[in-house]
Amino acid sequence: MEYKGQVLQVLQVSKHGYIKEPLKQLNKAVRMSSCSGPEDAKVVIVGSGFAGLAAAATLVKTGFENVLVLEAKERIGGRVHTTKPFTENIIEVGANWIHGQKRNPLFKMAKEENLLSEGTSAFKKSRSVTHQDYFFKEDGKQVSTKLVDQVCLHFSKLTDKAFDDELKHKHRKLSLGAYLDDAFSESPLAAKEDGQQVFEWCKRNECTDEACSSLYEVSASQISNYTALEGDFFNTLGPGGYRAVLDVLLRDLPSGVKNNSLYNYNCI
């Protein structure tokens, strides 16, 4: 069909979880094609994570009747994987918290559905290393707490430069890992073996925040595009976990998603 390329653009859901502007593009593409309206258009969505299901729900609400969601795994949810392996208490194998509150559609949805924990578990994000933490080497000797604090503080300053888009020209085309290596090598802390080892630990720890296996797979310059939403950083969900939020999206889709698995889901 004439509008296939534009459909692919529509399915790139924005980081805020909405597809309002791209949806206008799809409606325009449908009008320009041989389709008489959204009910005749055929849309394929790759992946049944939050973005994919939100796109499907939005398209269905807007009048699109032929929406196909493709999923390679044996479950829906993407990075969200709520399990109950032992008792009725859940264990999150994937995402655990909703980060940020203001302009966060997930937080708004969870709050409106009373899915957030009522306890005091929501708190501001703080440094991952404090004076109360201790580092030990393989031989059992403790690393100087002063050195650890110096390295971690310097590491934070280097990552802040990337997030604030204040990188030197020579670092802009590097991966985040390569930039950190080069920038840290200019510090006197890099000359100390213990300092270098703590620095390597900092990089491994940063992989958790960047949701990657290696910082050498992350762009140093593009990381500044990340938007940190205002409000508490760790917003804990209640007993239903993230799956309960996912179920809210599934409510807006026609019946067809069952047993927590979805291969070819056609909203016809």
Side-chain angles (χ1 to χ4, degrees), residues 155-188:
F155 184 87
S156 295
K157 289 180 178 179
L158 294 179
T159 53
D160 286 345
K161 284 186 177 181
F163 278 105
D164 295 337
D165 198 21
E166 297 177 351
L167 296 176
K168 295 179 181 179
H169 179 73
K170 67 174 183 176
H171 292 147
R172 299 198 64 80
K173 293 185 179 181
L174 299 179
S175 67
L176 182 60
Y179 149 64
L180 290 171
D181 287 343
D182 186 71
F184 184 71
S185 66
E186 299 174 356
S187 169

Side-chain angles (χ1 to χ4, degrees), residues 3 6 10 21-35 38 64:
Y3 58 87
Q6 297 182 49
V10 167
E21 193 60 35
L23 193 57
K24 293 179 182 179
Q25 297 175 16
L26 180 55
N27 281 318
K28 180 180 179 181
V30 170
R31 290 194 299 270
M32 295 172 60
S33 71
S34 58
C35 296
F64 288 81

